[in-house]
Amino acid sequence: MASALPFDDIRTLLNTMPGPDMEAANKARSREAVLTKPPGALGKLEAISEHIATWQGHYPPRADRTVVAVFAGNHGVVAQGVAAYPQAVTAQMVANFQNGGAAVNQICKAYDLGLKVFELALEQPTGDITQVPALSEKDCAATMAYGMEAIAGGCDLLCIGEMGIGNTTIAAALACGLFGGTGKDWVGPGTGVDAAGLSRKADAVNRAVALHGDHLKDPLEALRRLGGRELAAMAGAVLAARMQRVPVIIDGYVATAAAAVLFRADQTALDHCLFGHCSAEPAHKRLLQAMGKTALLDLDMRLGEGSGAALAAGVVKAALACHNGMASFESAGVSNKD
Amino acid sequence: MASALPFDDIRTLLNTMPGPDMEAANKARSREAVLTKPPGALGKLEAISEHIATWQGHYPPRADRTVVAVFAGNHGVVAQGVAAYPQAVTAQMVANFQNGGAAVNQICKAYDLGLKVFELALEQPTGDITQVPALSEKDCAATMAYGMEAIAGGCDLLCIGEMGIGNTTIAAALACGLFGGTGKDWVGPGTGVDAAGLSRKADAVNRAVALHGDHLKDPLEALRRLGGRELAAMAGAVLAARMQRVPVIIDGYVATAAAAVLFRADQTALDHCLFGHCSAEPAHKRLLQAMGKTALLDLDMRLGEGSGAALAAGVVKAALACHNGMASFESAGVSNKD
């Protein structure tokens, strides 16, 4: 393994990520202090504005061209009886996205967000991770590069989400491979498997992690062996956004598992990311905690497809509207404390 | 006390509140079951859609004409040294609302919500509750009636919020009068008082509750004795909305204390209300718990002025967009489970 070149380009990017722009951060903090409200009274909305300025690297922060990128893939592991819906649903839901009928379409319309759908070789499911690696290194690196296209048209904020029957098992395997524990720690009902299905998921995760063994110590190897196309593409998108100074909102469990690959490669690699919501899929909270991250919203959602990230983008838009639009104590003639 | 007529009209309304429309609720539930997502996967968004349908009493649920009503009042209790900002700030912030410079203005713009500001005799602060009742019964009932104007122009969703220097002390006194405990249980830093100020707040609450004693057993008496104009107006607005089948989103601690008056008069009186967010003002959580209510968002906000309710209205709009706009399994040609 790791003899071919493709992952080398990714490793180079991971070694040259831009850091926070403290000048933009300071400008945001200074402005928050003079706006017509008690200091800190907008809570996380203030932190959001500072975050966006810091990672856009300019001031004022903007979220006028927000893109929600949804990546869809299929998974060989469904042969292990881990999914509640047939694999055909992945392609059917892609058509639903394209026809405007899914939840994420409605949320994008409500908040004026752009939506891009990336269909990733749905007719070629990845290898069954309990038997073989999901992807070759070449395929994995190429899919990461394809995911980077999410920001190609230009945007100031990127939301990432996914669709893929069987991919909560993939997320669980990847989380287990990256952070340890056993299958039981990382699986959940997903789209709604029963107790027997849940047990099959945990077993599949345990077998996959045992099979790939020490290779999993390298996070990119873990991604290609235990991941899937939409996870590779999301990891690529998150990394490309960092390089181009586009802040990111991560969606639920599967998107977080994809992003966690970058975190395990470099603990600062997700510093430009917000976590849109905490999913009702139980292991999402565990995975966020493993990285020391907290989510903005907690609305018992567990749909994926970027829906939680898009909802959080609505909050980000309101936060920036406050930051950029509010009057100062001086301009409004409002008396300050003391 | 209680010899005059005015509160009688309010009591009549409380006795004739419309209940939930179970037909609309069932229609909402039936539709959620066929939309292209696993059952329940949109979590609280699904519950929101059902709630709005249930309390609008028609189907489909709508939030196209949402009004954020902000009520402003001044309080004699500021003489007790309980506020971090001078009383003049109430009127100055009203001007800021009218000029479009406050946080709530920006959130309304971001989510296309209407904003109405009600200025309630700011030049006549209410009585200092540690010495006298805040309001006469006549004034209190008239202010409740004035608050009912919030929905006069027609709307399908109402958010209520407030502005009033000193009014977290008023909210604490009212909560203490309605639910028991001591001042210390119900006070918090508000806009930012120091430890000495916090201690003065708790002391003021204890003295006020002791002074008004058994009169507080009647929730409307508690409102006029310990409340304030903006709290009376908010209680009136929430009640009027119920009568007219307009669902309500309650803002933070002060708005919740006003609404709690109705709850203590009739435990079903707030069934048409959502609680937009849990404020960072610590007693808000306690007050919600005392009524068995949970809030949608928890973003460490503590600004008041309807900002948390308006932010939640953005979530409600997204929820209804999903409910009304999503395709069904059948219409989208997506295979269902099994």
Side-chain angles (χ1 to χ4, degrees):
Chain A
M1 54 140 276
S3 64
L5 277 174
F7 276 161
D8 288 354
D9 294 344
I10 304 291
R11 294 188 209 282
T12 300
L13 291 179
L14 280 164
N15 285 326
T16 55
M17 293 184 296
D21 183 327
M22 296 317 296
E23 194 184 321
N26 287 334
K27 280 183 187 165
R29 216 173 303 137
S30 301
R31 180 162 164 81
E32 285 294 341
V34 301
L35 297 178
T36 45
K37 58 178 175 52
L42 281 174
K44 289 190 183 165
L45 300 198
E46 300 184 21
I48 287 169
S49 297
E50 189 180 324
H51 176 94
I52 300 293
T54 302
W55 292 101
Q56 287 182 341
H58 60 72
Y59 193 86
R62 295 285 179 200
D64 300 325
R65 291 181 307 150
T66 299
V67 165
V68 180
V70 181
F71 300 91
N74 273 325
H75 302 274
V77 77
V78 298
Q80 303 299 321
V82 295
Y85 287 78
Q87 189 165 61
V89 167
T90 306
Q92 291 165 351
M93 281 301 296
V94 166
N96 198 21
F97 299 144
Q98 285 160 346
N99 294 329
V104 70
N105 298 94
Q106 321 315 317
I107 301 174
C108 286
K109 219 156 79 175
Y111 296 147
D112 194 22
L113 315 173
L115 177 63
K116 287 188 189 177
V117 181
F118 293 80
E119 194 180 328
L120 300 161
L122 298 186
E123 69 296 343
Q124 293 179 288
T126 52
D128 177 350
I129 61 171
T130 66
Q131 315 288 326
V132 292
L135 292 163
S136 69
E137 180 170 339
K138 191 179 156 191
D139 263 7
C140 186
T143 307
M144 290 182 79
Y146 184 51
M148 295 182 181
E149 297 296 310
I151 57 165
C155 60
D156 45 28
L157 178 63
L158 175 68
C159 298
I160 63 157
E162 45 56 49
M163 172 70 217
I165 296 301
N167 71 10
T168 56
T169 300
I170 291 297
L174 191 52
C176 190
L178 293 170
F179 295 96
T182 68
K184 209 178 141 207
D185 297 329
W186 297 106
V187 297
T191 54
V193 293
D194 57 16
L198 194 63
S199 162
R200 285 193 298 273
K201 284 177 81 163
D203 180 56
V205 168
N206 287 333
R207 286 185 287 129
V209 169
L211 175 70
H212 298 286
D214 278 352
H215 294 298
L216 303 177
K217 286 180 181 162
D218 174 351
L220 291 175
E221 273 296 306
L223 175 62
R224 85 161 182 96
R225 287 171 174 272
L226 300 177
R229 292 190 211 283
E230 73 276 41
L231 285 93
M234 286 190 285
V238 171
L239 182 55
R242 173 65 162 265
M243 301 311 292
Q244 297 297 319
R245 294 196 170 283
V246 176
V248 173
I249 308 179
I250 309 278
D251 192 33
Y253 185 42
V254 182
T256 302
V261 171
L262 305 177
F263 178 88
R264 286 302 260 170
D266 181 333
Q267 295 218 359
T268 69
L270 305 183
D271 287 358
H272 65 306
C273 299
L274 298 169
F275 291 81
H277 79 129
C278 186
S279 170
E281 182 74 0
H284 190 211
K285 194 172 188 177
R286 178 187 289 260
L287 184 53
L288 290 169
Q289 282 172 345
M291 299 193 289
K293 307 291 186 185
T294 53
L296 280 174
L297 304 174
D298 190 352
L299 294 168
D300 294 335
M301 292 165 68
R302 51 179 171 81
L303 179 57
E305 69 181 48
S307 55
L311 205 66
V315 174
V316 170
K317 289 189 100 155
L320 297 188
C322 290
H323 184 83
N324 294 324
M326 282 177 71
S328 66
F329 281 100
E330 195 178 334
S331 72
V334 175
S335 309
N336 209 333
K337 222 164 149 178
D338 307 321
Chain B
M1 53 140 275
S3 64
L5 278 177
F7 276 159
D8 288 354
D9 294 343
I10 304 292
R11 295 186 208 281
T12 300
L13 292 179
L14 280 163
N15 286 327
T16 54
M17 293 184 294
D21 183 326
M22 295 319 293
E23 195 183 322
N26 287 335
K27 281 183 187 167
R29 217 172 303 138
S30 301
R31 181 164 163 80
E32 285 294 342
V34 301
L35 297 177
T36 44
K37 57 176 174 56
L42 280 174
K44 290 190 183 166
L45 300 198
E46 300 184 21
I48 287 169
S49 297
E50 187 180 326
H51 176 95
I52 301 293
T54 302
W55 292 102
Q56 285 181 343
H58 60 73
Y59 193 85
R62 294 285 177 201
D64 300 324
R65 292 181 306 149
T66 299
V67 165
V68 179
V70 181
F71 299 92
N74 272 324
H75 302 273
V77 77
V78 297
Q80 304 297 321
V82 294
Y85 287 78
Q87 189 165 62
V89 167
T90 305
Q92 291 165 353
M93 280 302 296
V94 166
N96 199 21
F97 298 143
Q98 285 160 346
N99 294 329
V104 70
N105 297 95
Q106 320 314 317
I107 301 173
C108 287
K109 221 156 78 176
Y111 296 148
D112 194 22
L113 316 173
L115 177 62
K116 287 188 187 176
V117 181
F118 292 81
E119 193 180 328
L120 301 162
L122 298 186
E123 69 297 342
Q124 293 179 290
T126 52
D128 178 348
I129 60 170
T130 66
Q131 315 287 326
V132 293
L135 292 163
S136 69
E137 180 170 338
K138 190 178 158 192
D139 264 7
C140 186
T143 307
M144 290 182 79
Y146 184 52
M148 295 181 181
E149 297 296 311
I151 57 164
C155 59
D156 45 28
L157 178 63
L158 175 68
C159 298
I160 64 156
E162 45 54 49
M163 171 70 217
I165 295 300
N167 72 9
T168 56
T169 301
I170 291 298
L174 191 51
C176 190
L178 293 170
F179 294 95
T182 68
K184 209 177 141 207
D185 298 328
W186 297 105
V187 297
T191 55
V193 294
D194 57 15
L198 194 63
S199 161
R200 286 193 297 273
K201 283 175 83 164
D203 180 58
V205 168
N206 287 334
R207 286 186 287 130
V209 169
L211 174 71
H212 298 287
D214 278 351
H215 294 299
L216 304 177
K217 287 180 183 163
D218 174 351
L220 291 175
E221 273 295 306
L223 174 63
R224 84 162 183 96
R225 287 172 174 271
L226 300 178
R229 292 190 212 283
E230 74 276 40
L231 285 92
M234 286 190 285
V238 171
L239 182 55
R242 173 65 163 263
M243 301 310 292
Q244 297 298 317
R245 294 197 171 280
V246 176
V248 174
I249 307 179
I250 310 277
D251 192 31
Y253 185 42
V254 182
T256 303
V261 170
L262 305 177
F263 178 88
R264 286 303 260 169
D266 182 331
Q267 295 218 358
T268 70
L270 305 184
D271 286 357
H272 64 307
C273 299
L274 298 169
F275 292 81
H277 78 129
C278 185
S279 171
E281 182 74 0
H284 190 210
K285 193 171 188 180
R286 178 186 290 259
L287 184 53
L288 290 170
Q289 281 171 345
M291 298 192 289
K293 306 291 187 185
T294 53
L296 281 175
L297 304 174
D298 190 352
L299 294 168
D300 294 335
M301 292 166 67
R302 52 179 170 80
L303 179 58
E305 70 181 46
S307 55
L311 205 65
V315 174
V316 170
K317 290 189 99 157
L320 297 188
C322 289
H323 184 84
N324 293 324
M326 281 175 74
S328 66
F329 281 100
E330 195 179 335
S331 72
V334 175
S335 310
N336 209 333
K337 222 163 148 175
D338 309 318

